[in-house]
Amino acid sequence: FDLPWREDYQLGQRVLEYGVYIHYIEDATVYHPPYIFIHDLKTAFRCGGGHYIGCVKGYIKPTLKYGGGKSFLKSVARDIYRVPYLLFVLFYQDTKRFGIVTATYKLFWKTIFSFGYYSQLCFNFLRNK
C-alpha cells in the first residue's frame, strides 16, 4: 500500500462507507507516549502530504475538515470553503468541547497539515514537469 501517512484516516473512511460494525471496549486502556510539540507538528506536516497522495490516488475522499483535491485548482477551490469552516464552525465547536487552548492548537495543527498538503502538491507538480 503506497500511502505513507493517513492510512488510519483512509481506513476510517472505508469503515464508514461500507458500514463495518466496530465494537468499542469501554473500559479498554490505551497507552500512548507523551506528545512532544515539535514531533506532533512534524506528524501534522507528514499527514498533510499523505492526505494529498491519498486524494490524488483516489484512496481518500476530500472533506471540509481536511480538504483535498486531485489538482491545485480543485484543492484551492475546496479551501475557499474549508478555511472559513475551520475558523468559524470547527474552531467554535472545539472551543466549546475542549477549551480555547486546545481549540487553538487544533487549528494550528490543521494549518501545518495544510502546509504539508500543499508542499506535497508542489513537489509532485515540479517532479512531473
Side-chain angles (χ1 to χ4, degrees), residues 72-92:
F72 180 78
L73 288 176
K74 286 181 181 178
S75 296
V76 170
R78 182 172 294 278
D79 278 348
I80 289 172
Y81 295 100
R82 180 177 158 290
V83 171
Y85 175 74
L86 290 177
L87 289 172
F88 300 110
V89 176
L90 280 182
F91 182 73
Y92 174 74

Side-chain angles (χ1 to χ4, degrees), residues 45 48-56 67-77 79 113-129:
F45 188 82
H51 195 81
Y52 168 76
I53 292 167
C55 287
V56 166
K70 290 192 176 195
S71 70
F72 180 78
L73 288 176
K74 286 181 181 178
S75 296
V76 170
D79 278 348
F113 175 96
S114 295
F115 283 135
Y117 179 90
Y118 280 104
S119 71
Q120 185 67 33
L121 188 149
C122 291
F123 173 76
N124 193 45
F125 175 77
L126 293 173
R127 186 179 59 182
N128 292 330
K129 266 197 146 196

